Amino acid sequence: MDSQTKAEPMRVLVTGGSGLVGKAIEHVVKQEGGCLEGEQWTFLSSKEANLVDLQQTIAVFEKYRPTHVIHLAAKVGGLYLHMKENLHFLRDNLRINDNVLQTSHERGVTKVVSCLSSCIFPDKTTYPIDESMIHNGPPHNSNFGYSHAKRMIDIQNRGYFAQHGRRYTAVIPTNVYGPYDNFNFENGHVLSALMHKTYAAKKEGAPLQVWGSGTPRRQFIYSLDVARLFLWVLREYDEIDPIILSGESNMVCVGDQSMCVCVPYVTGPSSFFDTSKSDGQMKKTASNAKLRRYLPDFTFTPLSEGIKKTCDWFVNNYDIART
């Protein structure tokens, strides 16, 4: 740990604090003893500041004076929204990331941990993908704007270290799911959108329509697992190079997910696949070998258990869920 960390407890600013991962980190901090004595944790939402705007970003940093930042804030969406608005995803995320990283540097923030995404991986590559392969070719064309903006965080982190000695780093979680996700049919991520569709189909007595062929394969990680690993990265991980957060080496087919999502509802509806909809990237298998070298004994939440917990949360909190 550096001298600033030893001299005073951390003041941690979590951007995107009201989203899927931000809420999970808040749970770990407040409910699982993740906050050490004297630490101050602030979970920032877009209602308090629009981080696309530099002056609002600076004002937030002046208000909370963070020593450490977990940077989750982003313009995000599901596959089909990305396909429609690639330029908006590129421009807004470039602005957000540059505002947060440069303001962190100018305000002397000791460490920033940013959240990347597995969509940044090259579309044409060998598998499994590891951290050294991020820039080895263009990402999938369906979300190139968001992907390139996220990739640039890694480039900026290298630059801040090379030019200023800043220890800013990033994590790359595979597909995250859990409570407080975006469950919107069109704009949500695949698993959360499937949960909402299953819930609605059962309620209406209609068949479950799954967009795409059901053949793409994904790796999933429960949001609370991601949150616990974020705290480890913030406190212990000392590399500038990013680290992949993935709990499973095996891939899960979207078609299999649709069946798995039905299980918590006991009598899930019949389903069919709308093949007129895009599948997106067919697979993006990521290696967690680096993470396992650091944390060989970390226990991940099994997919079936995580889906059950997330479905229960969604049903019990339908009125406040993002739908």
Side-chain angles (χ1 to χ4, degrees), residues 71-104:
H71 176 38
L72 309 174
K75 177 181 173 66
V76 296
L79 169 64
Y80 302 101
L81 185 61
H82 279 279
M83 291 172 67
K84 289 192 297 186
E85 300 184 9
N86 262 299
L87 179 61
H88 289 161
F89 280 102
L90 174 68
R91 297 185 72 223
D92 282 356
N93 283 298
L94 285 173
R95 289 189 181 111
I96 291 169
N97 299 334
D98 189 59
N99 287 346
V100 169
L101 290 173
Q102 180 63 16
T103 305
S104 294

Side-chain angles (χ1 to χ4, degrees), residues 276-309:
S276 68
K277 302 293 187 181
S278 173
D279 279 323
Q281 195 166 358
M282 293 307 293
K283 70 175 182 177
K284 38 189 177 180
T285 313
S287 169
N288 69 352
K290 182 176 181 179
L291 176 65
R292 281 307 191 190
R293 287 197 296 272
Y294 278 103
L295 298 174
D297 299 323
F298 185 88
T299 301
F300 289 90
T301 303
L303 181 61
S304 58
E305 179 184 336
I307 287 178
K308 178 64 166 62
K309 289 180 177 179

Side-chain angles (χ1 to χ4, degrees), residues 20-92:
L20 168 63
V21 178
K23 283 293 188 181
I25 293 175
E26 184 175 15
H27 176 88
V28 171
V29 166
K30 295 182 177 180
Q31 306 296 326
E32 297 185 4
C35 180
L36 302 184
E37 184 178 356
E39 289 181 353
Q40 299 174 23
W41 286 75
T42 300
F43 294 86
L44 189 71
S45 77
S46 57
K47 294 178 180 178
E48 185 169 357
N50 178 6
L51 299 179
V52 175
D53 183 276
L54 177 58
Q55 295 308 312
Q56 291 189 45
T57 306
I58 291 172
V60 162
F61 275 72
E62 290 178 345
K63 179 179 180 180
Y64 294 110
R65 300 181 302 111
T67 61
H68 294 67
V69 171
I70 292 178
H71 176 38
L72 309 174
K75 177 181 173 66
V76 296
L79 169 64
Y80 302 101
L81 185 61
H82 279 279
M83 291 172 67
K84 289 192 297 186
E85 300 184 9
N86 262 299
L87 179 61
H88 289 161
F89 280 102
L90 174 68
R91 297 185 72 223
D92 282 356

Side-chain angles (χ1 to χ4, degrees), residues 183 195-196 199 265 310-318 321 323:
F183 294 86
M195 289 179 187
H196 190 189
Y199 176 83
Y265 296 117
T310 307
C311 284
D312 288 345
W313 182 90
F314 176 69
V315 172
N316 294 330
N317 296 275
Y318 184 83
T323 57

